[in-house]
Structures are given as C-alpha cells and as structure tokens.
C-alpha cells in the first residue's frame, strides 16, 4: 500500500511523513517498553512540515567483528548533523526492533531531515518515527500493512503511529499487556462528515524543549494528582470527538480539542515539581483566540508539549486567524495547514528532487 514507485532496496529507501496534531491527546503510557498508552487519542495529520528519511543498509558484520566490510553500529544523521547521544540511541533501539522482526543483522545508515522544528512540541517525533518505520521496514524487507506499520511506529514514538495515516486518525489504546496489548494498540483513519478544517500554527519558540515529552508524561503520571481526572475526561472526550467529526461539527471539534489540551497542561502544572510548557507567548495566542471567538470566529486552540500553539478554524477564516496571531509580538512565524497525507515511500534521496 505504501509504494508510489518501485523501490530498489539496495540503493536505500526514502520515506516521507508529516506531523500530526492531537485533538484528543496521548499523555501517559501503561507500558513503557511496548509504548502502550493509558488512553486512546485522535489527531489530524498535517499537509506541511514534511520529514524525509533515507535508510541504506550496510553489509552484515563478519562474525569476528574485525572485517572492514560492514559497520559495527548504525550511523544516524539528523537535520544534516550526526545525531546526538540520546537521539542516535533512540533510532538504534528502534532499528534493533526492526532487525528482530525481519530476522536480519545488517547495520543501517539513516539520514533524516525535519521541516518542522525538532523537539519544539510540533510533533517532530511523530513525523520522524513514522518516516523511519516506513523506510526501515522496507529496507529490511518487511512488508507491513498500515495497521502493522502503525504498531511498529508506535514503538519509536507513541504519536508516530497516527502519522502513518492521513487525515483524521484514532490511536486505540488497546487492551491488556504483553503481546495482546501490542496487537490491540494501533492507529486507523476515522470517518468524518463535511468539515472544512484549517490549522494555523503559531510558532513562539522553535527551540528544543528542555524536558522531552517522554520524560514529562512519565513525571506527570507519577506525581500529578490531576492526571487520573484528565485521563478519565479524555475517554469521554474521545467518544464526543468521534461524534463531532462524524457530524462535521467544527465548533464541537474545536471546543473538545481545546478543553482536552488545556486539561493536559493543567495536569502537567499540578505535577511536583510542575512541568510547564506554555509560555507568556502561548498565553498571548490563547487570549487572541478567545478574542476571535468573542468576535464570532470559530477558532479554538491546542498545544502539545511545547510553547507553540495550533489554532483550529474553518478554512474560510484561516487568513483572518493567521493575520491576528501574526500581529502578536511573541509569535515568530505563522504556518497555514490543512489535513494532509499519511506516510509514503519515495524513490529519491533527501533533497534529491
Ligand atoms: P516533539 O514535540 O518534537 O515530538 P519529543 O520530545 O517528542 O518532541 O521528541 C523529540 C525527539 O524525537 C528528538 O530529540 C529525537 O530524539 C526524536 N526525533 C525527532 N525527529 C526525528 C527524526 N526525523 N528522526 C528520528 N528521530 C527524531
Ligand atoms: C503532547 O509521542 O512524543 O504531543 O511516545 O514518549 O515518544 P513518546 O511521546 P510523544 O508524545 C506526544 C504527546 C503530545 C500529545 C499527542 O501527540 O497526542
Ligand atoms: Co513527540
């Protein structure tokens, strides 16, 4: 299902994926090593900020490890530079999983470029691991359908399982533990009624966050007295969101999304010590969204684990919303997005087109 062009695996495989912004958030794992979430979540994949990832395999390392034919480790380049310790280890751990699934031993050379700011709360890990899952599984000869690919991407970064698909996507929390949990926790597209949704991305700070999402959600679960309440509300939000999407009711979609996101940030703020991603600039955007609503524009805000805010609105109002947030001093750049495509393979190398 992924192939747009026939892929010559020996020359390496390139995959392209986009970030997704959750309307009902994922925040907390019930199993860290399998990346099984506490709650289900629902997102929209963007049509901007592509991540392009190229994977080439090196020959197998000889048994005595002294041969010069193969690599002894994976080589990982992120945004044109060798990936730092934690980022490289995360990719290597993910490739170990792919190798185990494929029954192969070759090391890999991975080159990935994000158009989205990396680690800034705009879902670089989602685009990054969806692209890596598609490119690496193809390079190692695995033929996975969308559901299986979403399970694999989930192991790299939970939110990545949703970027496997385009448009509106639900990640089912799944039930149970071990392999039952693994099999039942996947993403799939959700049906939507007529809905002309635009997303206006207001970047207040493109720098990488100090506390990665993974660590922050662990800490929130462990110490926030509000975490359980948010998770419970999230289950109700998910049901309501499904209905609002099916009806094409943009006002309900926006209101549920904003409430769910602010509730997640409230749970983080109640952690001990607090995790605070929203900045003065983020609050200025939230104020502007309230003012737009008071002026009868159907605009609602959401924010992931970072200070950048995404405004949901009807496509017809997107230019006005963009102009309004662009006028805010703390807003560095504004990007207009629409629902976009799922991950796909490409025949060219990064930057080769
Ligand atoms: P974000 O809000 O951007 O998703 P996270 O804290 O969830 O931030 O994840 C950021 C981390 O994801 C990076 O530090 C890196 O380890 C990983 N990552 C981001 N982009 C890529 C990519 N293209 N390929 C592989 N790993 C990536
Ligand atoms: C706030 O998927 O980045 O963006 O699974 O540990 O890699 P890991 O975390 P990640 O968390 C995303 C959290 C969020 C909400 C969401 O995307 O649903
Ligand atoms: Co992330």
């Amino acid at each position: 299902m992924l192939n747009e062009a026939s892929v010559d695996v020996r020359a390496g495989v390139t995959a392209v994926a986009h970030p997704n912004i959750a309307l009902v958030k994922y925040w907390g794992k019930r199993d860290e090593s399998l990346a099984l979430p506490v709650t289900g979540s629902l997102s929209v994949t963007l049509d901007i900020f592509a991540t392009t990832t190229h994977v080439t395999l090196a020959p197998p390392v000889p048994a005595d490890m002294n041969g010069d034919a193969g690599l002894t480790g994976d080589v990982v380049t992120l945004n044109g530079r060798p990936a730092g310790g934690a980022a490289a280890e995360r990719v290597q751990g993910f490739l170990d999983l792919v190798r185990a699934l494929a029954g192969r031993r070759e090391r890999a050379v991975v080159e990935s470029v994000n158009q989205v700011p990396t680690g800034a709360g705009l879902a670089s890990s989602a685009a990054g691991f969806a692209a890596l899952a598609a490119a690496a599984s193809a390079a190692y000869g695995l033929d996975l359908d969308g559901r299986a690919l979403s399970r694999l991407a989930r192991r790299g970064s939970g939110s990545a399982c949703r970027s496997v698909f385009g448009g509106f996507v639900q990640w089912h929390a799944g039930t149970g533990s071990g392999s039952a949990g693994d099999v039942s926790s996947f993403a799939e597209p959700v049906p939507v009624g007529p809905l002309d949704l635009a997303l206006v991305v207001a970047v207040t700070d493109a720098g990488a966050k100090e506390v990665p999402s993974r660590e922050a959600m662990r800490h929130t679960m462990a110490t926030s007295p509000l975490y359980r309440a948010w998770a419970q509300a999230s289950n109700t939000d998910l049901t309501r969101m499904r209905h609002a999407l099916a009806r094409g009711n943009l006002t309900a979609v926006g209101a549920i999304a904003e409430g769910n996101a602010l509730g997640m940030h409230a749970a983080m703020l109640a952690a001990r010590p607090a995790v605070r991603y929203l900045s003065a600039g983020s609050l200025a955007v939230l104020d502007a969204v309230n003012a737009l609503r008071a002026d009868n524009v159907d605009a609602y805000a959401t924010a992931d684990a970072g200070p950048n805010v995404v405004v949901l609105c009807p496509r017809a109002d997107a230019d006005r919303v963009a102009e309004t947030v662009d006028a805010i001093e703390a807003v560095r750049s504004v990007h207009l997005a629409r629902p976009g495509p799922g991950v796909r393979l490409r025949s060219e190398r990064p930057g080769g087109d």
Side-chain angles (χ1 to χ4, degrees), residues 20-29 32 35-36 40-43 90 121-126 129 153-162 171 209 212-218 230 260 264-265 268 277 302-306:
N20 68 78
I21 297 301
L23 305 174
V24 177
K25 305 288 186 194
Y26 143 59
W27 196 250
K29 296 177 185 71
E32 286 263 348
L36 301 176
S41 55
L42 200 156
S43 61
R90 196 163 162 176
L122 289 170
S124 72
S125 68
F129 280 96
R154 189 194 80 223
R155 305 286 296 273
S157 177
S159 55
C161 73
R162 299 184 310 236
W171 172 12
K209 61 190 98 176
S213 296
R214 184 155 293 184
E215 204 177 309
M217 68 176 78
R218 195 184 291 141
W230 172 79
N260 185 268
M264 176 186 76
H265 286 278
M268 293 185 207
Y277 286 118
T302 183
D304 278 355

Side-chain angles (χ1 to χ4, degrees), residues 93-117:
F94 184 78
L95 291 171
D96 286 341
L97 257 171
V98 179
R99 283 187 279 261
L101 273 174
R104 304 265 295 256
R105 293 195 319 129
E106 300 99 312
R107 295 288 151 184
V109 178
V110 175
E111 295 165 79
S112 185
V113 177
N114 292 330
Q115 286 177 356
V116 77

Side-chain angles (χ1 to χ4, degrees), residues 9 42 45 49 71 78 114 127 181 218 225 231 242 260-261 275 277-278 297 304 342-343 348 351:
V9 168
L42 200 156
T45 304
F49 293 148
L71 293 169
L78 184 52
N114 292 330
R218 195 184 291 141
R242 285 284 304 232
N260 185 268
V275 181
Y277 286 118
L278 298 177
V297 179
D304 278 355
V343 69
E348 315 91 312

